[in-house]
Amino acid sequence: MEKKNYGLLAYILVCIIWGSTYLAIRVGVQSFPPFLFGGIRFITAGTAILLFGYFKKLEFPKEKIDYLKISVVGIFLLAMSNSLVLAAEMRVNSSTAALLIATIPIFMALIELFIPGGSRINLFGWIGMLIGFAGVGILSLSGGELDTDMIGIILLILAGFAWAAGSVYSKRTAFKGSIVVQIGVQMLSGGLLQTIMGIATGEAARLNPEPSGIWALLYLIMMGSLVGYTSYIYLINVWPISKAGTYAYINPIVAMFLGWLFLGEPVTARMIVSAAFILAGVLVVQKSRVVEKAEEKIEA
């Protein structure tokens, strides 16, 4: 299979799997304190990946500075962005979270505008982003009203920005070692920092998970982290960052479908219209021309 086809497969996996993780997170944080929930998830997944890399004799970085550079990605994507999502989903529902995290592609494109050598989408691509975001906006009103908890909304917007910043950094920085090892280091560093935050805020005393929370944690470790996160890191290394980020437009559709399939939630005409907008927006962005000013990654 060609790299292009692997990229498409990774994109599909991220769209479907991460669309389901908002529901799992919502279930999990009703049982686990948020930072330790994320910390346990990523320490477990990261350790498993690094053990796999070790026994498969994959290349590990040689210098401490290389581990530090890789850890920066884990700090932005997991310790910062994921922690903000976990905290926000204690205040807002999963649909609202999926909606606001859909700002990631716009943040990515905006960040790249201010970086020398950053990728540029043309006007056609920007129109596609606006169409997609309009569809997400329509979807957010499908339940009758939008969750208006302002603290939760602000946390989610900050989470989207942190994820976009970490993704752009990962795309533009050259890392040493196998990409599998890099993913393990990212998860382990992010998970360790989340755990430290959880202990520092007294979450250990509140750790008394219910079976539903444990199942949600296991799902997030296996699917959200080992499959979904690995696919995402691969994706942003083979696709332009502005196009890879459009997965965030698909996630709310997946959440809507799963709600109908497993919880019997109704699918309204408004939902169908929003799905059409979102898919059209993603198609436009994916077909738009992307100008790459610099092909080489930064060795810093």
Side-chain angles (χ1 to χ4, degrees):
M1 188 181 291
E2 297 179 358
K3 181 182 288 190
K4 180 179 179 181
N5 293 329
Y6 279 123
L8 179 60
L9 175 61
Y11 181 76
I12 292 171
L13 288 173
V14 170
C15 288
I16 294 174
I17 293 172
W18 277 359
S20 67
T21 56
Y22 292 99
L23 179 59
I25 289 173
R26 179 68 171 170
V27 172
V29 295
Q30 304 305 310
S31 177
F32 280 86
F35 296 143
L36 287 181
F37 183 61
I40 294 170
R41 170 188 174 183
F42 290 115
I43 287 176
T44 303
T47 300
I49 289 176
L50 289 176
L51 286 173
F52 172 83
Y54 176 78
F55 286 113
K56 285 291 184 178
K57 300 187 184 304
L58 301 179
E59 181 186 0
F60 279 67
K62 302 296 191 296
E63 305 293 334
K64 292 181 180 179
I65 186 64
D66 295 319
Y67 285 99
L68 179 61
K69 288 162 58 177
I70 297 170
S71 295
V72 169
V73 181
I75 291 171
F76 270 98
L77 269 58
L78 306 179
M80 293 177 62
S81 182
N82 181 260
S83 293
L84 288 166
V85 171
L86 290 169
E89 286 211 45
M90 297 183 71
R91 310 180 69 96
V92 302
N93 58 45
S94 58
S95 298
T96 301
L99 161 70
L100 294 175
I101 292 300
T103 57
I104 287 174
I106 296 175
F107 282 132
M108 286 178 175
L110 290 174
I111 291 171
E112 290 258 306
L113 286 177
F114 296 96
I115 297 177
S119 63
R120 305 288 188 268
I121 61 171
N122 59 16
L123 179 61
F124 192 56
W126 279 105
I127 292 173
M129 282 194 171
L130 292 175
I131 292 173
F133 196 68
V136 175
I138 293 172
L139 179 62
S140 73
L141 301 175
S142 62
E145 61 181 30
L146 178 66
D147 194 317
T148 55
D149 185 293
M150 289 307 299
I151 295 178
I153 289 173
I154 292 171
L155 290 175
L156 287 165
I157 291 174
L158 292 174
F161 181 81
W163 188 276
S167 298
V168 172
Y169 171 82
S170 178
K171 174 72 174 181
R172 291 176 48 80
T173 305
F175 301 112
K176 302 292 178 63
S178 164
I179 188 171
V180 173
V181 174
Q182 293 171 22
I183 291 168
V185 172
Q186 290 169 20
M187 288 187 183
L188 194 58
S189 61
L192 285 172
L193 186 52
Q194 285 181 308
T195 301
I196 292 171
M197 291 190 295
I199 293 173
T201 55
E203 287 188 352
R206 306 197 306 272
L207 187 61
N208 186 26
E210 300 175 356
S212 60
I214 294 173
W215 281 112
L217 177 62
L218 291 174
Y219 177 81
L220 289 169
I221 290 171
M222 296 299 299
M223 299 303 295
S225 297
L226 294 179
V227 178
Y229 188 80
T230 300
S231 298
Y232 178 72
I233 294 300
Y234 175 80
L235 179 64
I236 62 176
N237 277 275
V238 298
W239 274 19
I241 194 71
S242 54
K243 288 187 177 181
T246 56
Y247 78 87
Y249 290 143
I250 307 294
N251 288 168
I253 297 178
V254 174
M256 175 185 68
F257 173 74
L258 292 177
W260 167 78
L261 183 64
F262 293 107
L263 302 178
E265 296 175 349
V267 177
T268 66
R270 187 189 295 271
M271 291 180 180
I272 296 173
V273 171
S274 72
F277 268 80
I278 293 169
L279 292 176
V282 171
L283 179 63
V284 169
V285 173
Q286 297 289 52
K287 294 296 183 181
S288 68
R289 182 173 63 89
V290 177
V291 179
E292 299 279 1
K293 286 191 174 182
E295 295 292 334
E296 297 184 357
K297 292 190 175 185
I298 299 172
E299 292 276 2

